Amino acid sequence: MALQFSTVTRKGPITIVTLSRPEVYNALHTDAHYELEGVFNEFAADPEQWVAIVTGAGDKAFCAGNDLKWQASGGKRGWGESGFGGLTSRFDCDKPIIAAVNGVAMGGGFEIALACDLIIAAENAVFALPEPKVGLAALAGGLHRLPRQIGLKRAMGMILTARHVPAREGLELGFVNEVVPQGEALAAAERWAETICKNSPMSIRASKQTLMRGLDVSLPQAIAEQRDYPAVKAMVASQDYIEGPKAFSEKRAPNWQGK
């Protein structure tokens, strides 16, 4: 796949996706959305890739959201089935995705980060859903994910004021996992990814799928149904399910197959 608006780097089982429109603070337009949809489709389908990291080019922005200048000039709007940046409506990927937020994450950029499983933020990162200031609304998932992740009143406070929230406050509110010095967000995200990759990828996928599906139903129903989830069945049928206990009993590091 020829890429114009992003770059993809693979480090072993880790895929690093960099939004690459630094001239507009990595804001996204229609063509970029469709390109990123393809990038994350490839990641999801590749059994050799276990964890993805998404970040922004340059040292100022993760993603400034929707490219308003593009829109104002008559550029077409829209994205594919997987949503803004190829992620906000992607509900079937059981592999972990980490946001390495290296600067501003505004509007759709913040919505991309919220759609990830972990957010690692540099100290210069700033988050906001500023859509009401330009007559829009955060309809790429932000209005639903933020209250689910930090609670109704805190989310209302951010959404109704459209205020900017620095990284440290994001950590206090609970949507940021770790704050690191400026310029170190990607390295920290890689550290998290490497730690995740020490575990069985089959177990990680089963855990993520079980957690996410369980949030949609009652606790008794979630516990009753979890063994029927596809990723849980795949884990039980995998070589990793045998290798893990064997490696533990032999006091050695496991050799995960991911299948």
Side-chain angles (χ1 to χ4, degrees):
M1 172 192 273
L3 303 177
Q4 291 182 276
F5 311 111
S6 62
T7 62
V8 175
T9 304
R10 293 183 176 87
K11 293 186 175 182
I14 301 169
T15 294
I16 301 171
V17 180
T18 303
L19 312 179
S20 189
R21 301 188 75 218
E23 71 281 2
V24 290
Y25 287 74
N26 301 317
L28 301 179
H29 56 10
T30 300
D31 292 343
H33 292 307
Y34 279 100
E35 177 175 297
L36 288 164
E37 180 172 67
V39 165
F40 285 107
N41 284 347
E42 287 189 3
F43 162 71
D46 188 344
E48 302 300 321
Q49 294 302 295
W50 297 357
V51 181
I53 298 170
V54 57
T55 192
D59 58 1
K60 296 181 179 179
F62 172 73
C63 175
N66 181 38
D67 190 340
L68 293 176
K69 291 184 178 179
W70 169 271
Q71 180 181 337
S73 67
K76 61 181 179 179
R77 288 198 66 196
W79 45 75
E81 292 183 357
S82 60
F84 197 97
L87 284 177
T88 62
S89 294
R90 185 179 294 274
F91 300 108
D92 59 353
C93 182
D94 300 317
K95 300 178 182 181
I97 302 175
I98 303 171
V101 181
N102 54 312
V104 298
M106 298 291 166
F110 187 20
E111 290 174 296
I112 289 174
L114 288 171
C116 294
D117 301 297
L118 302 171
I119 298 178
I120 312 304
E123 289 180 337
N124 64 314
V126 180
F127 304 87
L129 294 176
E131 285 85 348
K133 291 186 175 182
V134 293
L136 303 173
L139 299 178
L143 296 178
H144 302 290
R145 283 194 169 95
L146 190 60
R148 282 167 168 79
Q149 294 183 22
I150 69 173
L152 178 60
K153 297 300 184 186
R154 289 179 168 186
M156 279 292 194
M158 285 187 63
I159 292 165
L160 299 183
T161 62
R163 70 184 182 90
H164 293 188
V165 173
R168 289 288 175 188
E169 186 178 356
L171 182 65
E172 294 171 2
L173 289 171
F175 64 78
V176 170
N177 293 87
E178 182 182 2
V179 177
V180 297
Q182 183 172 348
E184 296 183 16
L186 179 57
E190 289 184 44
R191 170 169 48 81
W192 279 79
E194 289 165 359
T195 302
I196 292 170
C197 288
K198 292 179 182 178
N199 302 310
S200 162
M202 303 302 292
S203 296
I204 292 296
R205 293 169 203 166
S207 297
K208 177 179 173 178
Q209 185 180 96
T210 299
L211 188 158
M212 297 306 293
R213 290 194 178 194
L215 290 175
D216 293 330
V217 300
S218 69
L219 179 60
Q221 183 179 347
I223 293 175
E225 294 177 352
Q226 62 186 354
R227 292 188 178 277
D228 291 325
Y229 294 161
V232 174
K233 287 185 174 181
M235 176 190 71
V236 173
S238 72
Q239 291 299 312
D240 286 1
Y241 198 68
I242 300 171
E243 170 64 8
K246 184 177 180 182
F248 179 82
S249 66
E250 295 175 357
K251 298 182 179 180
R252 60 173 174 82
N255 180 24
W256 303 124
Q257 298 299 309
K259 56 186 178 180

